Amino acid sequence: MAWMAWTLPTIVFFVVIGCALLVMTVLAVVFPETPRRGLLRIETTRGDRLFISLLGSAFICMAWLGLIGAPLWWALAVCFLYAAAVFRWV
Amino acid sequence: MQKTVNQKAWFLVLPVFLLVAFSAVIPLMTVVNYSVQDTFGNNQFFWVGLEWFSELLHSERLHAALGRQIVFSSIILAIEVPLGVFIALNMPQKGLWASVCLVLMALPLLIPWNVVGTIWQIFGRVDIGLLGHTLAALGIDYNYTQDPLDAWVTVIVMDVWHWTSLVALLAYAGLQSIPQAYYQAAKIDQASRWSVFWFIELPKMQGVLMIAILIRFMDSFMIYTEPFVVTGGGPGNATTFLSIDLVKMALGQFDLGPAAAFSLMYFLTVMLVSWVFYTVMTNLDKKAGL
């Protein structure tokens, strides 16, 4: 795996995403759900909301980096708030 | 009624899962790893954190390429969509000529992209190309290798030639699905040609036009081969779109770190648009009760 040039932060990043996917799978099996309509007037499941959260977070981090600059810890906090809002209302 | 539960079908998905893992997921992970490191070759990497992302977000070069990309996509959409609808409205509805038109319209779509580029590269040359030579004979100073405006016109006309058919064919399919009863009702009401278009044909084409616009947007946003073959991104940087700039950075300068960060931001943008595309489409289908 040396050719993939792994670093600890990127390992952590992918492990977190992998765990999130795993949790979603387990939740889907244990507590099946029906899609719901929220703020955006589109049908979403938990998986959709996770996707919207992750994609939105990427853009929040890019915007923070472009407008304010590193470090991104506060951007991460904004991402968590955003994700919570997505899971609650979208 | 008791439903039988059988999850064995998941094993049928396994080959695709493995294939995607090797062709997409592992390379993408590698790109993420590259984007936070610097390398001087020899597979030695040095941690730089978010430096490349920060640099690129403030890079004039990237902003300029993004600007050109947005202008390019906007222009070709503004031309191809109305033109495609216009062509579809004027195509014969049935009979031999309908088939002939369909085949002729489909031809540009079948030509490989690099061949399209080569065709236009030769077509536009002043010494041996029909277009370039004719324009020169008419006294028009046309040279796509020297003049940025000529290069832009060539690249846009090429894209319009290549892809308007797609919009036209989709719009044509949308028009064919409108029941005759609508037209008869319009006739009884003595509706004008414009009213028929505005109140019957356009609303009925909404779904396919949405597909056409989003496909064309995404394709033009990722365009590489055709402008690369025709202009190589020049003159200067006049037609250097995002993907051309990316390849220059990754393979020309061998700046793997910045190129990886660039790819990721590019990928995220395309993913956002694809998601909007997918969401809009599936919700349109649900509204239509499909």
Side-chain angles (χ1 to χ4, degrees):
Chain A
M1 298 302 263
W3 65 273
M4 284 179 78
W6 282 104
T7 63
L8 184 64
T10 48
I11 291 173
V12 172
F13 174 74
F14 282 113
V15 166
V16 168
I17 289 183
C19 287
L21 290 178
L22 211 64
V23 168
M24 285 295 144
T25 312
V26 172
L27 279 179
V29 172
V30 181
F31 306 105
E33 55 163 354
T34 46
R36 70 155 196 238
R37 254 167 216 274
L39 207 63
L40 287 177
R41 311 302 314 149
I42 53 170
E43 277 192 359
T44 54
T45 61
R46 278 185 293 249
D48 292 329
R49 294 194 280 279
L50 175 70
F51 178 78
I52 297 170
S53 305
L54 288 177
L55 191 57
S57 300
F59 281 94
I60 290 173
C61 288
M62 277 205 290
W64 190 284
L65 195 60
L67 300 173
I68 299 168
L72 289 180
W73 296 112
W74 285 109
L76 192 64
V78 176
C79 290
F80 274 111
L81 279 178
Y82 167 74
V86 167
F87 271 87
R88 176 73 187 81
W89 286 299
V90 171
Chain B
M1 196 182 85
Q2 188 74 43
K3 273 188 186 169
T4 45
V5 178
N6 185 345
Q7 304 281 10
K8 278 181 197 148
W10 286 108
F11 286 107
L12 298 178
V13 188
L14 203 62
V16 175
F17 183 80
L18 286 176
L19 202 68
V20 171
F22 276 97
S23 70
V25 178
I26 289 176
L28 189 64
M29 283 175 156
T30 313
V31 169
V32 171
N33 291 340
Y34 282 4
S35 73
V36 290
Q37 297 178 86
D38 195 5
T39 181
F40 303 105
N42 207 20
N43 217 15
Q44 283 183 317
F45 289 88
F46 306 93
W47 172 259
V48 293
L50 294 166
E51 204 177 295
W52 300 135
F53 288 93
S54 189
E55 199 174 272
L56 283 167
L57 284 167
H58 295 106
S59 144
E60 293 285 327
R61 173 179 162 179
L62 184 72
H63 292 176
L66 180 67
R68 283 191 288 269
Q69 188 71 65
I70 292 170
V71 169
F72 175 75
S73 291
S74 311
I75 292 177
I76 64 117
L77 278 179
I79 297 174
E80 286 175 17
V81 175
L83 186 63
V85 171
F86 180 76
I87 293 172
L89 286 172
N90 288 292
M91 271 165 71
Q93 297 289 319
K94 51 185 121 185
L96 176 70
W97 286 109
S99 314
V100 171
C101 280
L102 284 176
V103 171
L104 284 179
M105 298 297 292
L107 275 181
L109 302 174
L110 300 176
I111 302 175
W113 296 356
N114 50 350
V115 177
V116 170
T118 314
I119 289 174
W120 281 82
Q121 206 248 2
I122 296 170
F123 190 47
R125 275 175 66 166
V126 178
D127 50 352
I128 55 168
L130 185 62
L131 176 73
H133 197 74
T134 312
L135 286 176
L138 290 171
I140 298 167
D141 185 22
Y142 167 84
N143 188 340
Y144 67 82
T145 57
Q146 303 285 329
D147 186 89
L149 183 68
D150 291 352
W152 266 84
V153 169
T154 310
V155 171
I156 286 169
V157 170
M158 174 175 63
D159 199 83
V160 168
W161 174 81
H162 194 183
W163 289 111
T164 303
S165 307
L166 180 78
V167 182
L169 290 176
L170 282 168
Y172 185 72
L175 283 174
Q176 291 285 3
S177 69
I178 303 174
Q180 278 301 318
Y182 284 87
Y183 291 108
Q184 284 159 4
K187 217 168 195 176
I188 291 167
D189 289 345
Q190 295 196 319
S192 64
R193 183 70 193 87
W194 173 253
S195 310
V196 170
F197 172 69
W198 192 251
F199 293 109
I200 298 174
E201 290 170 336
L202 199 58
K204 286 281 171 189
M205 280 194 291
Q206 194 194 2
V208 284
L209 279 185
M210 187 68 81
I211 301 178
I213 290 171
L214 286 160
I215 288 181
R216 281 312 303 135
F217 173 77
M218 270 158 38
D219 261 359
S220 66
F221 204 74
M222 298 191 286
I223 193 165
Y224 174 75
T225 317
E226 295 127 301
F228 180 75
V229 173
V230 175
T231 64
N237 277 329
T239 53
T240 302
F241 302 123
L242 282 176
S243 57
I244 294 180
D245 208 15
L246 176 60
V247 173
K248 271 186 189 169
M249 196 182 275
L251 301 179
Q253 301 158 219
F254 216 71
D255 281 336
L256 289 185
F262 188 160
S263 327
L264 284 180
M265 292 195 280
Y266 198 3
F267 169 67
L268 285 170
T269 313
V270 174
M271 190 135 96
L272 179 70
V273 178
S274 312
W275 178 75
V276 171
F277 168 53
Y278 174 76
T279 310
V280 169
M281 287 321 303
T282 45
N283 278 277
L284 271 181
D285 283 353
K286 273 174 198 150
K287 259 187 209 158
L290 294 171

